[in-house]
Amino acid sequence: MEKTERIQDIFASQVFSEDVMRERLPKEVYKSLLNTIANGKEIDASIADVVAGTMKDWAIEHGATHFTHWFQPLTGVTAEKHDAFLSPVGHGKAIMEFSGKELIKGEPDASSFPSGGLRATFEARGYTAWDPASYAFIKDGSLYIPTAFCSYGGEALDTKTPLLRSMDAVNTAALRIVRLFGDTVTQRVVSTVGAEQEYFLIDAEDFKARRDLFYCGRTLFGAPAVKGQELEDHYFGTLPTRVSAYMKELDMELWRLGISAKTKHNEAAPAQHELAPIFSTTNLAVDHNLLTMEYMRKIAEKYDMVCLLAEKPFEGINGSGKHNNWSLSTDGGKNLFKPGKNPSENKEFLLFLAAVIRAVDEYQDLLRISAATAGNDCRLGGHEAPPSIISIFLGEELDTIIKSIIEGSGYSKRDTKYMSLGVKSVPTIRQDTTDRNRTSPFAFTGNKFEFRMVGSSQNIALSNIVLNTAVAEALSDFADKLEETIDFGGTLDRLITDTFKKHSRILFSGNSYSKEWEEEAKERGLSNFRTSPEAYAHFTDDKNIKLFGKFGVMSETEMRSRREIFFESYRKIKNIEARTMLEMTVRDIIPAVSKYVGALSESVNAKLAVSRSINVSAERDLIEKLSDLLASTYEAYGALERVEKTAISKSSDEEAAFYYKDSVIPRMDALRKLVDSMEILCAREVWPMPTYGDIIFRI
Ligand code: ADP
Ligand code: MG
């Protein structure tokens, strides 16, 4: 940053924001567009040309030459295709043009994006449609227009369309509830999200020197380093110089795009870090999180580092997740999950709380699926990440309130507690009404819910689609009952009590990492899908098809296509990983170990040539151990190769995914164990790749 640049000047300087719109658009056009953005009203086609022209002029002033519709196909990453504003006018001349039509609709060739059977490959047509609720922005000389992406038949081929639909669904339902509590002002209720993002930074040299990192983004072999994270000396520790410079530049670039990166710190594992933005409306939060991941990767290159977003890049130390903080807020800025001073009397809050408890209990499977990927399977259930069982942690105060409501007993408000640290100059601080529970997958954190299961590389859209829609269903059922009753107070109390009673099994405040919880959860009838394929299978269960269908969020066809894609990408990832292991074993690891054994043998011969009585037991022992391991490794290699062949031959992705889980992964694990045992016995200089110790402590 140049000294003269002030943060308030650069923030959102690359964004066609509301300020820019107000300044540049004719008043009527601005008002109409704002109505679309703020209230989700359909865009008036007649204003599109004016908006497009203004956008183009602004973009060109800011150095842009191209525009692109930017969308989120079902690959998990974003897609873009750039067109110049250029338009020939004859006589070898050209003008810069951009029409309303080009703004509203694009026609990228859709044939190479996953569609899960929604579109045969020969039906290449796909459309992108402008999402006015997400601001356009400039990046690398192009004007980026956030869009939704659909097939020729109108089915959503992306993650954004169902997300926008789910936001509409929860808006409609929540509005009905706030009206019942006398709110006549609110026009729109929005779901808000703040996504905390964890990541690793490693040296680019180390990355290039390991094929597993290179092809798969995570290590498939690697003995633990002598020192791991046991000293906990990395968490919140001082930032290394290179990392600190990286974070500064990252913040700056994100700020230019209007992304409010706020918090940054070292995470628990060595080489692990976190970035958290200030929350925003959910569609924007999703866009911003995708851009954040992109910039994390891109800027790392400038510092000769690589940013790893994989969920479990290194075995034995913490993996990375994404904390999806979610809440509902009125357009006036009232957070509907704010308990207030007296939560036990705050019926509106209790009703919204009841809706979330019901939603999470009834759609545990969907939430679990939204965090199910091949990569996240390596992380969930570890000692640092939530287990695969969904439960809600509410905290001491709310637990007590709910208990008193269920039992019909009285509740007396907890006195505010203050803590003195026993040092006069340090002010006394107010104690929160509850401690935190880091082990819970879904925790109430004062005025929002934190879903901690999502994997670090994932698009957070699906988790929020599920949350919005499931909560919309609970709220709209509540509204049905409350709107027709003649005894509002009585019905309200009964609704709250009955819902808490019926769904209290999902509440858990103990240690979610414990073995006992697994047992207890089973007794409570909670689902526990340990692996992604097991979870995916339930995506199209009747109740789930009904839910999404009822609110027009996803049709059955759209759901079936996504189910296909889940299995397909799981299969592809596992296939690449298995093949990478095979290649590394036979082309890097076996040759290296064999060469080392050869060198040891030569040394034995050389020593014995000097005198038959020289002690060669050390070399002998190593030769024997390594030769045994080498033979077993080659056997394990063969075993993996055989199952991998079978996996490839499976015609259905679903069948293949289950086969990978049941037959291939165990063989990958077996091979890894052997290779890791050889690593610790081999000379450092012969090992054909950087070790964990080299990588995680290098920066
Ligand atoms: P922690 O998880 O450590 O308690 P914070 O309280 O700072 O951290 O919040 C974490 C994230 O939650 C931030 O991204 C923050 O902007 C977001 N957040 C705060 N309030 C809301 C809200 N009402 N809706 C959605 N996200 C929120
Ligand atoms: Mg958090």
Side-chain angles (χ1 to χ4, degrees):
M1 178 178 59
E2 286 150 41
K3 285 242 154 39
T4 47
E5 273 187 315
R6 299 189 319 157
I7 292 170
Q8 53 269 52
D9 294 335
I10 68 157
F11 189 80
S13 59
Q14 304 295 306
V15 182
F16 194 73
S17 63
E18 250 167 69
D19 282 348
V20 180
M21 293 177 205
R22 189 180 328 109
E23 210 172 281
R24 300 203 172 211
L25 289 170
K27 209 165 174 182
E28 285 314 304
V29 174
Y30 168 68
K31 267 199 192 145
S32 163
L33 185 56
L34 211 61
N35 192 28
T36 299
I37 295 171
N39 303 323
K41 296 272 151 48
E42 200 171 322
I43 185 86
D44 180 351
S46 65
I47 69 162
D49 273 325
V50 184
V51 177
T54 311
M55 262 189 194
K56 177 206 68 186
D57 292 342
W58 170 82
I60 290 171
E61 275 171 42
H62 286 75
T65 52
H66 289 65
F67 70 92
T68 177
H69 276 201
W70 184 65
F71 55 102
Q72 299 166 23
L74 299 168
T75 49
V77 291
T78 57
E80 54 198 46
K81 180 186 117 204
H82 303 255
D83 279 301
F85 288 122
L86 215 60
S87 185
V89 287
H91 311 292
K93 286 200 185 328
I95 52 165
M96 300 292 256
E97 235 180 21
F98 183 49
S99 69
K101 234 173 67 193
E102 288 170 302
L103 167 64
I104 288 184
K105 185 175 133 194
E107 272 189 57
D109 183 333
S111 54
S112 294
F113 293 110
S115 77
L118 272 183
R119 172 189 36 65
T121 12
F122 57 88
E123 292 165 353
R125 225 181 252 279
Y127 298 106
T128 50
W130 178 34
D131 165 23
S134 196
Y135 304 129
F137 56 91
I138 295 170
K139 185 163 83 72
D140 305 327
S142 279
L143 171 68
Y144 279 69
I145 299 151
T147 57
F149 178 48
C150 66
S151 72
Y152 184 65
E155 286 102 359
L157 286 176
D158 66 349
T159 51
K160 171 165 256 184
T161 309
L163 179 70
L164 294 172
R165 293 172 182 161
S166 76
M167 289 173 72
D168 276 347
V170 77
N171 166 44
T172 309
L175 261 185
R176 289 172 67 193
I177 301 287
V178 299
R179 288 282 182 271
L180 286 162
F181 283 89
D183 175 345
T184 53
V185 193
T186 297
Q187 290 300 308
R188 191 169 166 81
V189 173
V190 288
S191 67
T192 52
V193 163
E196 301 165 62
Q197 176 74 48
E198 292 177 337
Y199 61 99
F200 278 84
L201 286 175
I202 64 168
D203 195 279
E205 287 300 317
D206 293 333
F207 178 80
K208 280 185 256 170
R210 290 195 62 125
R211 260 162 236 281
D212 46 6
L213 283 176
F214 198 77
Y215 289 134
C216 312
R218 72 182 189 96
T219 57
L220 302 170
F221 297 110
V226 177
K227 176 183 179 221
Q229 64 188 57
E230 60 274 46
L231 295 179
E232 310 271 329
D233 50 358
H234 186 71
Y235 192 54
F236 282 17
T238 324
L239 302 173
T241 319
R242 183 148 51 137
V243 173
S244 164
Y246 163 87
M247 286 180 170
K248 265 196 191 124
E249 182 164 346
L250 178 61
D251 279 343
M252 205 56 83
E253 288 303 321
L254 295 178
W255 289 340
R256 277 185 227 284
L257 292 172
I259 301 171
S260 49
K262 178 150 166 87
T263 313
K264 53 185 178 187
H265 61 79
N266 284 350
E267 256 302 325
Q272 193 186 27
H273 313 279
E274 179 181 304
L275 181 149
I278 297 174
F279 69 96
S280 60
T281 55
T282 305
N283 58 325
L284 216 55
V286 172
D287 286 2
H288 284 177
N289 180 249
L290 288 165
L291 284 167
T292 301
M293 290 195 283
E294 183 185 324
Y295 273 83
M296 281 180 164
R297 289 201 168 103
K298 210 158 74 177
I299 291 171
E301 284 170 27
K302 289 174 83 175
Y303 293 86
D304 294 321
M305 299 190 288
V306 171
C307 169
L308 300 178
L309 291 171
E311 282 74 17
K312 194 78 175 175
F314 306 102
E315 197 63 44
I317 59 173
N318 283 4
S320 300
K322 195 132 50 185
H323 291 176
N324 188 85
N325 296 273
W326 176 95
S327 187
L328 290 175
S329 156
T330 68
D331 49 10
K334 176 181 163 187
N335 183 340
L336 296 169
F337 290 104
K338 196 172 164 187
K341 285 214 161 57
N342 206 347
S344 64
E345 301 295 317
N346 186 346
K347 296 285 163 73
E348 188 181 14
F349 164 73
L350 289 176
L351 189 67
F352 274 101
L353 178 64
V356 172
I357 291 174
R358 176 180 140 176
V360 173
D361 186 29
E362 285 183 343
Y363 298 101
Q364 298 161 43
D365 49 352
L366 285 178
L367 272 176
R368 170 69 183 91
I369 292 166
S370 79
T373 60
N376 218 16
D377 277 4
C378 309
R379 162 181 170 260
L380 293 183
H383 52 84
E384 86 289 354
S388 36
I389 309 161
I390 303 270
S391 65
I392 304 180
F393 171 81
L394 289 179
E396 203 180 305
E397 186 178 29
L398 290 183
D399 274 344
T400 319
I401 291 175
I402 289 184
K403 194 162 164 249
S404 73
I405 291 174
I406 291 177
E407 290 170 357
S409 56
Y411 171 76
S412 52
K413 198 172 152 337
R414 177 187 187 277
D415 290 331
T416 309
K417 285 190 191 143
Y418 291 90
M419 292 179 293
S420 163
L421 299 185
V423 181
K424 280 209 186 79
S425 56
V426 175
T428 46
I429 46 183
R430 196 167 72 95
Q431 193 190 41
D432 284 302
T433 52
T434 180
D435 198 0
R436 287 164 178 259
N437 181 334
R438 288 259 161 228
T439 69
S440 177
F442 199 95
F444 183 68
T445 50
N447 60 3
K448 63 186 187 289
F449 294 89
E450 186 170 10
F451 183 40
R452 303 197 178 114
M453 218 181 230
V454 193
S456 47
S457 70
Q458 283 192 270
N459 182 327
I460 52 173
L462 187 57
S463 296
N464 292 297
I465 292 169
V466 172
L467 273 173
N468 288 341
T469 317
V471 170
E473 183 182 57
L475 290 175
S476 79
D477 278 0
F478 293 169
D480 286 346
K481 297 207 171 73
L482 290 169
E483 278 163 0
E484 68 186 23
T485 179
I486 43 168
D487 171 21
F488 182 77
T491 309
L492 176 63
D493 285 342
R494 252 194 319 280
L495 256 182
I496 292 174
T497 313
D498 291 350
T499 309
F500 286 157
K501 269 189 190 152
K502 189 163 169 208
H503 298 286
S504 63
R505 64 167 185 173
I506 197 76
L507 304 177
F508 180 65
S509 49
N511 178 7
S512 301
Y513 295 176
S514 69
K515 200 81 204 133
E516 296 77 49
W517 169 232
E518 224 179 299
E519 290 301 314
E520 190 182 331
K522 200 166 158 192
E523 268 163 42
R524 291 190 188 190
L526 300 178
S527 58
N528 183 4
F529 303 117
R530 265 173 242 270
T531 64
S532 294
E534 288 165 276
Y536 297 154
H538 291 275
F539 190 60
T540 46
D541 283 358
D542 274 349
K543 71 173 195 14
N544 299 337
I545 292 180
K546 259 195 207 128
L547 171 75
F548 285 128
K550 186 155 101 190
F551 293 93
V553 170
M554 273 188 262
S555 66
E556 181 170 345
T557 322
E558 287 169 337
M559 287 182 73
R560 294 210 178 276
S561 76
R562 277 155 183 79
R563 188 180 186 277
E564 284 288 304
I565 293 169
F566 292 150
F567 284 119
E568 184 188 327
S569 47
Y570 181 90
R571 171 191 201 164
K572 283 182 179 162
I573 289 167
K574 284 297 160 196
N575 174 40
I576 295 171
E577 287 182 354
R579 285 169 48 195
T580 304
M581 281 188 110
L582 289 171
E583 186 185 298
M584 288 173 77
T585 304
V586 83
R587 297 183 66 184
D588 300 329
I589 294 158
I590 291 183
V593 179
S594 169
K595 200 169 147 195
Y596 181 51
V597 172
L600 287 171
S601 311
E602 266 173 38
S603 146
V604 171
N605 286 340
K607 277 184 173 179
L608 293 181
V610 174
S611 153
R612 303 298 297 170
S613 61
I614 290 183
N615 188 340
V616 291
S617 60
E619 288 94 335
R620 272 225 167 100
D621 189 50
L622 280 170
I623 292 168
E624 264 169 37
K625 277 190 181 134
L626 282 170
S627 299
D628 284 348
L629 283 167
L630 207 52
S632 308
T633 300
Y634 193 65
E635 229 170 83
Y637 164 84
L640 177 58
E641 198 186 27
R642 278 191 297 280
V643 287
E644 168 60 11
K645 269 208 185 101
T646 312
I648 290 176
S649 72
K650 304 266 178 210
S651 59
S652 124
D653 289 332
E654 179 168 351
E655 208 187 313
F658 277 98
Y659 187 76
Y660 272 106
K661 164 179 99 63
D662 295 326
S663 303
V664 181
I665 292 178
R667 286 176 176 81
M668 289 167 69
D669 292 344
L671 176 59
R672 178 190 181 135
K673 234 191 179 148
L674 290 163
V675 169
D676 291 357
S677 321
M678 295 198 295
E679 182 189 323
I680 34 181
L681 290 179
C682 270
R684 200 177 295 278
E685 60 186 30
V686 304
W687 198 248
M689 64 193 106
T691 64
Y692 273 22
D694 297 336
I695 302 173
I696 58 181
F697 294 109
R698 173 105 90 132
I699 291 176

